[in-house]
Amino acid sequence: MRAVIQRVKHASVTIDGVTKSAIREGFLILLGICEEDHEEDVDWLVHKIAHLRVFDDDQHVMNRSLLDIDGEALVVSQFTLYASYKKGNRPSWFGAGSHEHSIPLYHAFCEKLTEAIGKPVGTGEFGADMKVELLNDGPVTICMDTKNKE
């Protein structure tokens, strides 16, 4: 499971001209899922993201988590995080998980992150053509991969 976590002042996702979800300060999370991912990957990633200390404290040091600031989260499925670009110039998506495998894990991730931060998580729509807007704060962008836990 791969995630690109962006610290944002606000973010939203729009589908067919209609805003599906919008958040204020917190994280925009682009989430990619592969066939090798399981519930334990969801649990590890949710814990890491909820406790990731990248928000400023009173001394302007990144020492506060999403929980500490009562922040929000928006999770957008992003199969392109598993792009293979080694051969030629047109990426292939063979590394991304199938819909049948990925959709339940995407929903589990969103549900567990909702529980972890104590408020509903905004979502996109799996497989939809989405327009994502954000104001990246910092910018702070962190990439995580559950296959590289150490």
Side-chain angles (χ1 to χ4, degrees):
M1 194 168 278
R2 292 181 180 162
V4 175
I5 302 117
Q6 296 178 296
R7 186 178 78 179
V8 298
K9 286 294 186 186
H10 60 82
S12 64
V13 62
T14 302
I15 303 168
D16 295 327
V18 176
T19 300
K20 169 115 174 33
S21 297
I23 64 164
R24 309 286 295 158
E25 184 178 27
F27 287 146
L28 168 65
I29 303 163
L30 305 176
L31 184 68
I33 299 167
C34 72
E35 288 295 323
E36 291 79 31
D37 291 328
H38 303 287
E39 283 282 332
E40 65 188 29
D41 296 298
V42 171
D43 294 337
W44 182 87
L45 194 57
V46 164
H47 179 80
K48 279 298 214 186
I49 290 172
H51 295 90
L52 184 64
R53 297 183 341 186
V54 296
F55 295 94
D56 289 349
D57 63 16
D58 295 336
Q59 286 72 43
H60 304 288
V61 175
M62 287 194 284
N63 200 28
R64 299 177 78 201
S65 71
L66 194 61
L67 294 167
D68 296 329
I69 67 155
D70 196 30
E72 298 181 289
L74 173 58
V75 182
V76 177
S77 62
Q78 186 83 42
F79 76 93
T80 60
L81 292 177
Y82 280 95
S84 175
Y85 46 82
K86 293 181 180 181
K87 186 176 178 184
N89 293 316
R90 183 177 177 177
S92 68
W93 318 114
F94 295 117
S98 66
H99 276 67
E100 296 77 24
H101 179 74
S102 299
I103 290 173
L105 288 175
Y106 172 76
H107 289 300
F109 179 87
C110 294
E111 289 168 14
K112 288 183 179 193
L113 187 58
T114 292
E115 291 172 15
I117 67 172
K119 61 178 65 176
V121 168
T123 62
E125 183 177 312
F126 197 93
D129 180 19
M130 297 174 276
K131 307 304 179 214
V132 179
E133 291 187 60
L134 69 140
L135 178 58
N136 196 321
D137 181 20
V140 173
T141 303
I142 307 288
C143 298
M144 291 186 184
D145 190 322
T146 60
K147 303 306 180 254
N148 297 320
K149 294 177 185 169
E150 299 175 22

